[in-house]
């Protein structure tokens, strides 16, 4: 493999913690080939949305269908309105909130070899054609899952909402140079013709053959490492306070035909990754706003500059090469998604050459500055509040710093913004949780609703946030500790599924396993999630379980409870549909409590006595009347104590001295008693 491509491949294995070494060289080759298939699927299906597999290794596993009876296909992706879907429920959720639906089918075959084999390519094409037939070839269970989604899309319920008939894209990938021989080209044209003329009447049919060089280009594009030079008309600097972490800020006007250099990829398609930091997707050409934009472009293009608010771009660097030539590095369009898509859609119209637009350009690498620009430039228009959820104070000032400061064997990072940790080579993808993971896992564990947690985060936020007083999740008065525990629970289950230490048959019910694990500490959970010593005590016990040495033993008990509950349920009711059934959740909680807690009396905060440890922070006062504070750790408030709580020599209580103590059962929070030195 070419060294640069091999570097990208090795980095992929590292960040996703994919191990391909074993005791056998032959086995190593098989594992490496399997990892390469996953790598290619990851690259090609991530191009438009680079963070689509972040904190979602399950989705990456789902699209990788290579193995026995794969009919020559290694990867399948079905996109509904540009979103990868994994079941008919997700298709339904998208269709419920969108009047018009666009469908794309993506098929991938990849070989970790330099040659392009005609027979393998033919087999790949046959497998795709079989997918759109009655299924004459034997298909594995993963392909059958995709076939079910395809059949649902073509059902009367969904097909009536299609804005246009679906498109299909095929990618045959190898590490060498694309073939030029007429025989291979002939087979490619033949497959394209057969798919174009098949009974499904696809809107677009593209059969692509990709070599190592193109794969490297895609890897770089995935990292958003690209620059563009464009000719402008007028430019002037924007005055920014010197204290702001902004390198440069300019506004300029340009022709729409020049702006297309930013929007358009080499293959002529829209560079959708430009909009990763934008809070809303393209709303379609039929909406009132976009209809007006496109009407101006087609009817009165000379008025566009005056009628349109323009585009706002945040970039890593900007250079005025010459008077009317600028170079922009790594741009992100944070406001102007609708305008950009409208310009792209009408790029081939005659009047596009008459359109001029205003562009605001801010060069900064400070994510908080970028975040303020995103919120400021978008809040002027109607945007769903959940799009801004991760910009709220609780996420910025409580959760994110808590995750960063928490000292634990496993480091977990909360990624509020897409690609936030992309440039840190020390952070693996497996260590990152995003808003979706945190929302779904917290709902399953601490809101006792695994039957709801599989829903899209926007739906969950709509149900569990709302007015400040009625919020059940991400409340300003919540302790960040249970959110961290939720993320760590997700990490360990994903790790064990990835390493096949938990049978994959349980993956469908992973949210239910989270809930059982919570009860497995043998204590009733606190009713309130605000900061309290009872909640800290409970989370401490969960943290103790979430250690490599403990989790392996604990998971066996968790699976045992799930199996027993599932069997009990099946005695009188259907075993199907339990994933979404609240009654099954109620039975699961009952069984978990009986197994782990039995007949214990629920623990109240004042009953939660145990021995804690910390270090002396400071001592103030003189003689026999003094007081001090003990530092427990970032996740806790400092603990107060005084001369009545300590019987030893106060001179030994110097800063950083280790002590152990109990929490006093009185009305004063964070009050230590029975303080002793740790030898």
């Amino acid at each position: 493999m070419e060294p640069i491509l091999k570097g990208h491949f090795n980095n992929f294995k590292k960040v996703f913690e994919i191990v391909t070494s074993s005791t056998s060289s032959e086995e190593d080759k098989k594992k490496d080939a399997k990892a390469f298939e996953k790598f290619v699927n990851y690259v090609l299906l991530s191009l438009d949305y680079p963070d689509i597999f972040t904190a979602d290794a399950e989705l990456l596993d789902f699209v990788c269908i290579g193995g026995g009876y794969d009919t020559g296909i290694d990867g399948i992706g079905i996109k509904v309105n540009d979103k990868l879907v994994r079941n008919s429920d997700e298709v339904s959720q998208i269709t419920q909130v969108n009047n018009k639906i666009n469908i794309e089918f993506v098929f991938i075959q990849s070989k970790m070899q330099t040659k392009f084999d005609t027979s393998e390519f033919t087999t790949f094409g046959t497998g795709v054609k079989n997918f759109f037939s009655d299924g004459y070839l034997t298909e594995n269970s993963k392909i059958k899952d995709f076939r079910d989604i395809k059949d649902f899309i073509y059902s009367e319920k969904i097909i009536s909402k299609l804005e246009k008939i679906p498109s299909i894209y095929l990618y045959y990938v190898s590490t060498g140079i694309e073939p030029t021989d007429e025989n291979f080209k002939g087979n490619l044209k033949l497959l394209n013709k057969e798919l174009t003329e098949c009974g499904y009447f696809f809107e677009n049919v593209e059969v692509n053959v990709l070599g190592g060089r193109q794969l490297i280009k895609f890897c770089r594009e995935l990292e958003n490492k690209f620059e563009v030079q464009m000719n402008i008309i007028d430019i002037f600097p924007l005055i920014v306070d010197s204290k702001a972490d902004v390198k440069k800020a300019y506004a300029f006007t340009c022709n729409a035909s020049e702006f297309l250099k930013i929007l358009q990829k080499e293959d002529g398609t829209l560079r959708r990754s430009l909009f990763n930091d934008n809070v809303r997707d393209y709303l379609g050409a039929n909406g009132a706003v976009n209809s007006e934009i496109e009407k101006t472009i087609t009817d009165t293009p000379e008025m566009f500059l005056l009628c349109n608010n323009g585009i706002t771009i945040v970039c890593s660097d900007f250079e005025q090469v010459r008077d009317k030539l600028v170079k922009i590095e790594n741009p992100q369009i944070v406001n102007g998604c609708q305008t950009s898509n409208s310009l792209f859609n009408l790029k081939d119209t005659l009047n596009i050459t008459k359109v001029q637009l205003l562009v605001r350009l801010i060069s900064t690498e400070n994510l908080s500055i970028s975040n303020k620009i995103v919120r400021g430039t978008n809040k002027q228009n109607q945007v769903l509040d959940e799009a801004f959820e991760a910009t709220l104070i609780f996420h910025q000032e409580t959760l994110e710093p808590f995750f960063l400061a928490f000292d634990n064997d496993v480091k977990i990072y909360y990624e509020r913004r897409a690609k936030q940790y992309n440039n840190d080579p020390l952070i693996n993808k497996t260590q990152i949780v995003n808003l979706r993971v945190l929302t779904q896992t917290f709902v399953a564990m601490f809101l006792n609703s695994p039957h709801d947690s599989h829903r899209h985060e926007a739906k969950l936020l709509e149900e569990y946030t709302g007015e400040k007083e009625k919020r059940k999740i991400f409340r300003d008065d919540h302790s960040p500790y249970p959110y961290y525990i939720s993320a760590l629970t997700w990490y360990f289950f994903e790790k064990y599924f990835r390493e096949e230490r938990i049978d994959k048959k349980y993956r469908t019910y992973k949210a239910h396993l989270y809930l059982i694990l919570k009860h497995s500490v043998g204590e009733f959970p606190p009713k309130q999630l605000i900061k309290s010593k009872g909640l800290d005590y409970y989370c401490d016990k969960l943290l103790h379980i979430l250690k490599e040495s403990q989790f392996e033993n604990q998971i066996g008990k968790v699976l045992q409870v799930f199996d027993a509950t599932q069997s009990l349920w099946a005695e009188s009711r259907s075993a199907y549909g339990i994933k979404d059934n609240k009654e099954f959740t109620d039975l699961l909680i009952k069984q978990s409590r009986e197994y782990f807690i039995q007949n214990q009396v629920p623990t109240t905060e004042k009953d939660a006595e145990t021995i804690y440890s910390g270090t002396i922070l400071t001592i103030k006062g003189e003689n026999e009347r003094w007081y001090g504070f003990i530092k427990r750790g970032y996740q806790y408030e400092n603990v107060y104590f005084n001369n009545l709580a300590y019987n030893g020599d106060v001179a030994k209580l110097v800063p950083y001295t280790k002590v152990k103590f109990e929490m006093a059962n009185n009305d004063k929070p964070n009050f230590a008693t029975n303080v002793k030195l740790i030898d």
Side-chain angles (χ1 to χ4, degrees):
M1 191 184 299
E2 194 276 336
I4 296 177
L5 180 58
K6 189 173 183 178
H8 285 294
F9 177 44
N10 288 337
N11 183 62
F12 166 78
K13 290 192 291 183
K14 175 183 176 297
V15 298
F16 278 97
E17 296 186 3
I18 298 173
V19 179
T20 57
S21 58
S22 65
T23 56
S24 165
S25 59
E26 192 63 32
E27 186 66 24
D28 290 354
K29 289 179 182 178
K30 290 180 181 179
K31 288 185 176 182
D32 234 21
K34 206 71 182 168
F36 184 74
E37 292 176 7
K38 182 173 285 192
F39 166 65
V40 173
N41 293 339
Y42 167 78
V43 171
L44 294 180
L45 294 173
S46 297
L47 282 174
D48 292 332
Y49 295 93
D51 64 329
I52 194 168
F53 295 117
T54 298
D56 200 351
E58 181 182 354
L59 179 59
L60 183 55
D61 288 339
F62 180 73
V63 301
C64 298
I65 57 90
Y69 300 109
D70 60 18
T71 68
I73 304 170
D74 293 327
I76 300 179
I78 298 180
K79 295 183 180 181
V80 180
N81 284 13
D82 298 324
K83 305 293 184 184
L84 283 175
V85 295
R86 66 190 100 197
N87 52 52
S88 56
D89 288 343
E90 292 186 0
V91 178
S92 293
Q93 288 174 12
I94 295 173
T95 57
Q96 285 171 10
V97 296
N98 293 276
N99 292 325
K100 296 297 181 181
I101 304 299
N102 295 315
I103 306 290
E104 293 179 6
F105 293 97
V106 181
F107 296 87
I108 302 167
Q109 169 64 279
S110 50
K111 295 295 180 181
M112 199 171 68
Q113 60 190 26
T114 56
K115 69 174 183 177
F116 286 82
D117 192 295
T118 304
S119 62
E120 289 175 345
F121 175 77
T122 303
T123 301
F124 172 47
T126 301
V128 174
K129 289 183 289 183
N130 184 73
F131 183 82
F132 289 99
S133 71
D134 292 332
Y136 300 104
L137 302 178
T138 304
E139 297 172 330
N140 62 34
S141 60
K142 286 193 168 186
I143 297 180
K144 289 177 180 177
D145 289 339
F146 278 103
R147 181 181 284 275
D148 290 342
I149 300 172
K150 182 257 296 182
D151 292 342
F152 181 71
I153 287 171
Y154 281 100
S155 67
E156 186 177 341
K157 180 180 180 181
I158 304 299
I159 202 167
S160 60
K161 282 197 166 191
L162 297 186
E163 187 170 28
K164 53 187 177 182
I165 57 179
S167 295
I168 181 172
Y169 302 92
L170 277 67
Y171 297 91
Y172 181 72
V173 184
S174 188
T175 63
I177 299 174
E178 291 88 344
T180 57
D181 66 278
E182 293 303 318
N183 185 49
F184 197 99
K185 287 183 177 180
N187 277 277
L188 191 150
K189 291 178 182 178
L190 178 61
L191 177 58
N192 196 307
K193 183 175 185 293
E194 289 174 339
L195 290 172
T196 301
E197 297 176 352
C198 80
Y200 279 82
F201 303 110
F202 297 111
E203 179 79 14
N204 295 304
V205 176
E206 286 189 18
V207 182
N208 304 279
V209 178
L210 306 179
R213 289 180 182 176
Q214 187 60 49
L215 203 53
I216 291 171
K217 284 185 180 180
F218 284 160
C219 287
R220 289 186 58 80
E221 188 173 313
L222 189 58
E223 296 168 354
N224 205 35
K225 291 181 179 179
F226 78 98
E227 62 181 46
V228 62
Q229 291 191 9
M230 53 189 291
N231 295 297
I232 59 173
I233 300 171
D234 295 302
I235 186 169
F236 54 90
L238 301 175
I239 299 174
V240 181
D241 192 318
S242 59
K243 294 181 181 179
D245 193 3
V246 173
K247 295 179 183 178
K248 307 167 189 173
Y250 287 87
F252 62 81
T253 56
C254 67
N255 290 320
S257 54
E258 284 294 310
F259 187 67
L260 285 169
K261 292 178 180 178
I262 294 178
L263 298 180
Q264 195 164 302
K265 294 192 290 188
E266 288 183 9
D267 60 0
T269 59
L270 179 66
R271 195 186 299 274
R272 291 195 184 100
S273 60
L274 284 167
F275 310 105
N276 289 326
D277 288 348
N278 204 293
V279 296
R280 66 160 82 72
D281 285 324
Y282 178 52
L283 301 176
N286 296 325
V289 174
N290 293 338
S291 295
E292 193 68 28
I293 291 174
E294 299 197 2
K295 188 174 186 298
T296 304
I297 294 172
T298 55
D299 296 352
T300 55
E302 65 280 353
M303 294 296 294
F304 191 85
L305 182 62
L306 300 178
C307 298
N308 188 269
N309 290 330
I311 309 287
T312 302
I313 293 176
V314 173
C315 65
S316 61
D317 204 1
F318 167 80
E319 179 185 348
Q320 193 168 353
V321 181
R322 293 195 303 270
D323 183 36
K324 300 296 184 181
L325 181 67
V326 298
K327 181 174 73 172
I328 305 172
E329 295 182 7
N330 307 324
Q332 274 288 304
I333 295 175
V334 298
N335 183 253
C337 178
Q338 311 309 313
T339 297
S340 298
N341 276 270
S342 296
L343 288 169
F344 181 82
N345 290 340
L346 298 177
K347 67 182 185 299
D348 296 323
T349 60
L350 292 175
N351 281 348
I352 198 71
T353 57
K354 301 177 183 179
V355 173
Q356 294 181 10
L357 69 151
L358 175 69
V359 178
R360 286 179 293 274
L361 188 69
I362 298 97
S363 174
T364 181
E365 293 181 346
N366 187 321
L367 282 173
S368 63
I369 297 294
S370 180
N371 181 64
K372 288 179 181 177
I373 295 168
V374 170
R375 189 171 180 85
T377 54
N378 285 281
K379 200 60 177 176
Q380 300 164 12
N381 305 305
Q382 184 181 1
V383 180
L384 295 176
D385 285 340
E386 56 260 29
F388 290 113
E389 176 63 39
T391 71
L392 298 180
I393 290 176
F394 183 72
H395 296 267
Q396 289 192 42
E397 299 183 6
T398 301
L399 285 182
E400 187 177 357
F402 184 87
F403 275 65
L404 287 172
F406 199 97
D407 185 19
N408 190 36
D409 300 341
V410 177
K411 193 70 178 175
I412 302 293
Y413 298 86
Y414 175 37
E415 186 177 73
R416 291 192 304 107
R417 299 284 305 282
K419 303 182 295 178
Q420 186 171 344
Y421 297 107
N422 264 22
N423 295 325
D424 192 332
L426 300 179
I427 300 176
N428 294 334
K429 296 287 186 184
T430 54
Q431 297 172 266
I432 297 172
V433 296
N434 54 19
L435 180 64
R436 176 187 58 80
V437 168
L438 207 54
T439 302
Q440 292 177 336
T441 313
F442 185 86
V443 166
M445 281 190 78
F446 286 92
L447 298 184
N448 297 327
S449 299
H451 52 278
D452 270 349
S453 64
H454 68 281
R455 298 164 64 195
H456 192 278
E457 66 270 22
K459 288 290 185 182
L460 293 175
L461 290 171
E462 183 181 325
E463 180 173 343
Y464 290 102
T465 55
E467 298 178 11
K468 184 177 180 180
E469 294 75 16
K470 296 180 180 179
R471 267 185 172 252
K472 295 180 181 180
I473 188 171
F474 302 130
R475 288 176 59 107
D476 289 342
D477 59 355
H478 272 185
S479 166
Y481 204 176
Y483 292 90
Y484 177 83
I485 291 297
S486 298
L488 193 60
T489 300
W490 168 86
Y491 168 85
F492 267 99
F493 273 97
E494 289 300 311
K495 174 180 170 65
Y496 271 54
F497 278 122
R498 184 172 62 251
E499 296 174 355
E500 299 182 352
R501 296 161 76 178
I502 301 177
D503 194 299
K504 62 182 180 182
K505 70 179 182 180
Y506 292 105
R507 190 176 266 286
T508 302
Y509 309 105
K510 62 180 182 178
H512 297 79
L513 303 183
Y514 300 159
L515 182 61
I516 300 173
L517 184 81
K518 185 186 77 168
H519 287 90
S520 73
V521 300
E523 301 276 353
F524 281 87
K527 293 182 179 180
Q528 299 294 326
L529 295 171
I530 59 176
K531 275 193 172 184
S532 66
K533 66 180 182 180
L535 181 60
D536 287 347
Y537 166 71
Y538 190 79
C539 288
D540 281 345
K541 296 199 73 172
L542 279 167
L543 184 64
H544 178 70
I545 291 173
L546 294 168
K547 304 284 185 184
E548 187 66 48
S549 57
Q550 299 294 325
F551 188 78
E552 187 172 7
N553 294 327
Q554 201 74 4
I555 194 61
K557 301 174 185 176
V558 169
L559 297 178
Q560 184 178 342
V561 170
F562 180 83
D563 289 341
T565 307
Q566 194 175 33
S567 297
L568 183 62
W569 175 272
E571 289 178 3
S572 56
R573 285 162 284 195
S574 170
Y576 296 100
I578 60 175
K579 174 185 173 183
D580 311 326
N581 195 315
K582 185 180 182 304
E583 290 185 19
F584 180 76
T585 297
D586 293 338
L587 180 62
L588 199 65
I589 292 173
K590 180 176 180 293
Q591 293 297 109
S592 297
R593 288 178 172 178
E594 287 182 3
Y595 185 92
F596 293 110
I597 307 175
Q598 298 177 344
N599 298 318
Q600 293 184 33
V601 177
T603 302
T604 65
E605 292 184 13
K606 289 188 177 181
D607 292 331
E609 294 184 8
T610 189
I611 305 298
Y612 299 94
S613 63
T615 57
I616 297 298
L617 186 63
T618 184
I619 299 293
K620 297 183 179 181
E622 297 179 355
N623 302 323
E624 295 181 355
R625 302 193 60 166
W626 55 264
Y627 67 94
F629 291 92
I630 300 170
K631 181 182 177 76
R632 286 187 61 196
Y634 180 82
Q635 65 267 39
Y636 308 106
E637 295 180 5
N638 296 328
V639 181
Y640 172 88
F641 76 114
N642 59 25
N643 53 285
L644 299 177
Y646 176 69
N647 294 325
D649 183 1
V650 68
K652 294 183 178 181
L653 298 179
V654 296
Y656 304 109
T657 301
K658 293 182 179 181
V659 294
K660 58 184 178 181
F661 57 93
E662 298 175 8
M663 300 295 273
N665 284 331
N666 54 35
D667 295 331
K668 298 178 181 179
N670 295 316
F671 192 99
T673 185
N674 198 21
V675 179
K676 296 180 181 180
L677 298 176
I678 296 178
D679 297 332

